[in-house]
Amino acid sequence: MKNVGIKISLYLNYFVFAILLNSVGIVISKSINVYNVGEGDASVLEAFKDMPIAIVSFIVASFLPRFGYKKAMLIALVIVFLGCIGMYYGNTFDTAKLLFMSVGISFALIKLSVYSLIGVITNNSREHSSLMSSIEGFFMVGIASAYFIFPAFYSEDPDSWLNVYPVLCALIGFSFILLLFSKIDIPIETSGNDLKSDIKNSIGLLVIPLVLIFIFSAFFFVMVEQGIMTWLPRFNEKIFSFSEKLSVQMASILALSLAVGRFVAGWVSKKIAWEKIVIVCSIISVIILLSVLPQLKPSGDSLILTALEDVPMLGFILPLIGLFIAPIYPLLNSTVLSNLPKNLHSPMSGLIIVFSALGGTIGSRIVGELFESIGGVKAFYFLIIPIILLILSVIFIKKLIKKNNELQG
C-alpha cells in the first residue's frame, strides 16, 4: 500500500490525542466531584483545551510546511507527555487546566500535520473523503477507549483515577518512538515563495465565499458535537441517575457510534453526494433530540443506577445520535480542502482548527452554563439551533461549489 508508514503514524497519533483531548468531559465530572468546582466553572477546562488549539493553529499554519510535519508532531508528543506528568503529580484543578492547555497546543500541531498530509498522499476528492472519514473514525475509537480506560482506575480512593496518566505517558512514548523512526519523505507544497507570502495567502483565504461559509458550518457542527460529548457523562449522572462510573461508560456509546458513523461515511461518501449525507444526518439528529428530551426529567433523589442492565432504553438511544452527526465533520472538511489547491491545505487546515476550537469552546461553555441554570434537558435543546444553521450552511456551500465548477468548466 502506498504511503502505508505515513498513514500508520497519522492513525496512531490521532488515536493518542483522541484519548487525551476528549477526556475533558471525564475530568470536568471529576473536578466537580473531587475538587468541588461548580459546573459553570468546570466548563472552563474546555476553553483551556480549545483556545490554545485556535491560537497555535492560527500562528503556525502558514509556516508549518516549511518547519516540517514530522518535527511538529514529535514536539507535540513531548509537550503533552509533560502535561500528563504534571497532572499526575499536581492533582488539582489548576494542574487540570495546565494539562488541557498542553493537550490543546499539541493537538493543534498534530491536526494541522494530519490534515495537510492527507491532501498530499491522496489523489482525488473521493479518496480524500474516504481517508479523512476513516482517520476521523479512528479518532472516535480513541475517544471510546478513554471512556473505558479512565473508569478502569476508579476506586474508593478519590485520587485513584490519576493512575491513568502514567499509562497514557507510556502510550505517548510508544507513539513518539514509532514516529521518530517513520519515514515521512514527501515534497511539501507551500502557499508562497517565503514566509511573508505564505501568511498573505493564508489571510487571503478569508475573502473566499466558500471558505467563509464553510468556517461557519464547521463552527456550528463542533458546537453541537462538543456540547454533547463534553456534557453527556454529567447528563447521565444528573438526568438518568447513573453512578459516576456508569455515566462515563455509557458515554462511550456516543464515541463508538461516532466511530461507526465515520467509518461508514468513508464508504458511503464514495456512492452518495456528500451534501445529501450531511443534510439527512442533521435532520435525523434533530428528530432524535426532539423524541428523547421531552421524555426526560432530572433524577432528583432517584436510586443511583450502577449496573448496565438497569439502564433505561432512552439511556441507550440518546448517545446513538453519534451515528448521524459522525459523517458531518469529515465530509465538510474534505469537501472544502479538495476544492482548494494543495498548497493552501495547511493554511486552510489552520482555519478549520481555529473555528472548530472556537465552536467547541463556546458550545461547551453555553451548555455548561445552561446546565447549571436551567438543567441538563433544557440545555440539550439548545443544540438544535446550531444543527439547523448547519443545514443552511451546507446548502450554501453546495451552491457555491456548483457555481465555481461552472465558471471553471
Side-chain angles (χ1 to χ4, degrees):
M1 184 187 295
K2 188 178 179 181
N3 297 316
V4 64
I6 301 170
K7 290 179 180 178
I8 291 174
S9 294
L10 300 187
Y11 278 105
L12 182 58
N13 279 295
Y14 237 41
F15 178 80
V16 170
F17 275 88
I19 296 174
L20 288 162
L21 195 71
N22 290 280
S23 66
V24 64
I26 299 170
V27 180
I28 282 176
S29 181
K30 277 295 181 183
S31 298
I32 294 169
N33 295 328
V34 177
Y35 304 135
N36 299 315
V37 178
E39 288 161 339
D41 292 333
S43 67
V44 76
L45 289 181
E46 191 80 49
F48 271 86
K49 171 176 67 73
D50 287 336
M51 293 312 296
I53 294 175
I55 293 169
V56 172
S57 297
F58 182 77
I59 293 172
V60 308
S62 297
F63 65 81
L64 194 62
R66 298 181 187 278
F67 180 75
Y69 296 126
K70 182 176 179 177
K71 289 180 185 177
M73 290 190 284
L74 288 172
I75 290 172
L77 291 169
V78 171
I79 292 171
V80 81
F81 181 91
L82 296 174
C84 288
I85 290 293
M87 184 65 203
Y88 179 71
Y89 288 106
N91 189 22
T92 65
F93 186 58
D94 286 333
T95 51
K97 294 176 184 177
L98 292 175
L99 167 67
F100 285 107
M101 182 183 295
S102 73
V103 171
I105 292 169
S106 303
F107 185 65
L109 298 175
I110 293 289
K111 193 169 184 178
L112 278 169
S113 300
V114 169
Y115 272 31
S116 299
L117 285 171
I118 288 174
V120 174
I121 63 179
T122 54
N123 299 314
N124 54 61
S125 60
R126 290 191 179 273
E127 188 178 332
H128 194 288
S129 294
S130 180
L131 182 57
M132 177 78 77
S133 293
S134 63
I135 287 180
E136 289 284 356
F138 202 67
F139 184 81
M140 291 303 153
V141 173
I143 293 174
S145 300
Y147 290 128
F148 291 100
I149 292 173
F150 274 78
F153 292 89
Y154 287 7
S155 72
E156 293 183 0
D157 180 0
D159 295 334
S160 62
W161 69 285
L162 292 169
N163 292 323
V164 72
Y165 288 104
V167 175
L168 293 175
C169 284
L171 186 59
I172 293 166
F174 174 73
S175 182
F176 180 92
I177 293 171
L178 182 65
L179 178 61
L180 184 64
F181 292 100
S182 296
K183 185 178 181 181
I184 303 181
D185 186 20
I186 296 177
I188 304 299
E189 297 182 66
T190 57
S191 61
N193 297 320
D194 51 37
L195 180 58
K196 183 178 180 180
S197 59
D198 288 345
I199 295 173
K200 182 179 179 181
N201 290 336
S202 298
I203 296 173
L205 284 170
L206 292 172
V207 301
I208 301 175
L210 173 63
V211 172
L212 282 174
I213 297 177
F214 164 77
I215 284 172
F216 284 113
S217 65
F219 178 89
F220 295 139
F221 170 78
V222 179
M223 180 180 288
V224 174
E225 184 185 56
Q226 287 301 310
I228 295 174
M229 189 172 294
T230 299
W231 288 99
L232 188 57
R234 188 64 177 171
F235 187 93
N236 287 338
E237 194 174 344
K238 298 292 287 185
I239 307 302
F240 288 112
S241 197
F242 297 161
S243 68
E244 184 180 24
K245 184 174 183 178
L246 183 60
S247 295
V248 173
Q249 291 173 333
M250 285 300 296
S252 68
I253 297 176
L254 174 64
L256 289 170
S257 62
L258 282 163
V260 171
R262 287 185 178 170
F263 283 127
V264 171
W267 174 75
V268 174
S269 62
K270 294 180 179 180
K271 303 177 181 297
I272 302 175
W274 70 272
E275 72 278 2
K276 293 180 181 178
I277 298 174
V278 172
I279 292 173
V280 170
C281 287
S282 299
I283 292 172
I284 294 175
S285 299
V286 172
I287 292 172
I288 290 174
L289 289 174
L290 291 177
S291 300
V292 173
L293 294 180
Q295 303 181 59
L296 301 176
K297 60 181 180 179
S299 58
D301 297 325
S302 300
L303 181 68
I304 302 298
L305 304 179
T306 59
L308 194 62
E309 56 266 24
D310 297 328
V311 175
M313 184 61 67
L314 292 177
F316 289 100
I317 294 175
L318 181 59
L320 289 179
I321 193 174
L323 285 171
F324 303 100
I325 65 173
I328 298 173
Y329 191 63
L331 289 178
L332 283 172
N333 291 341
S334 179
T335 297
V336 73
L337 286 171
S338 59
N339 279 277
L340 290 173
K342 289 186 178 182
N343 63 347
L344 292 176
H345 282 200
S346 181
M348 186 63 231
S349 297
L351 291 178
I352 290 173
I353 298 168
V354 167
F355 285 91
S356 296
L358 292 175
T361 297
I362 294 173
S364 180
R365 184 72 179 180
I366 291 174
V367 173
E369 293 291 346
L370 291 175
F371 204 115
E372 189 169 22
S373 60
I374 62 177
V377 174
K378 292 180 180 178
F380 270 35
Y381 272 117
F382 160 79
L383 298 172
I384 294 174
I385 298 173
I387 294 176
I388 293 172
L389 293 174
L390 172 63
I391 293 172
L392 296 175
S393 298
V394 168
I395 294 172
F396 281 116
I397 289 173
K398 179 59 181 176
K399 288 182 177 179
L400 284 173
I401 291 175
K402 184 178 179 180
K403 183 179 179 180
N404 289 341
N405 289 339
E406 288 174 353
L407 291 174
Q408 294 174 4

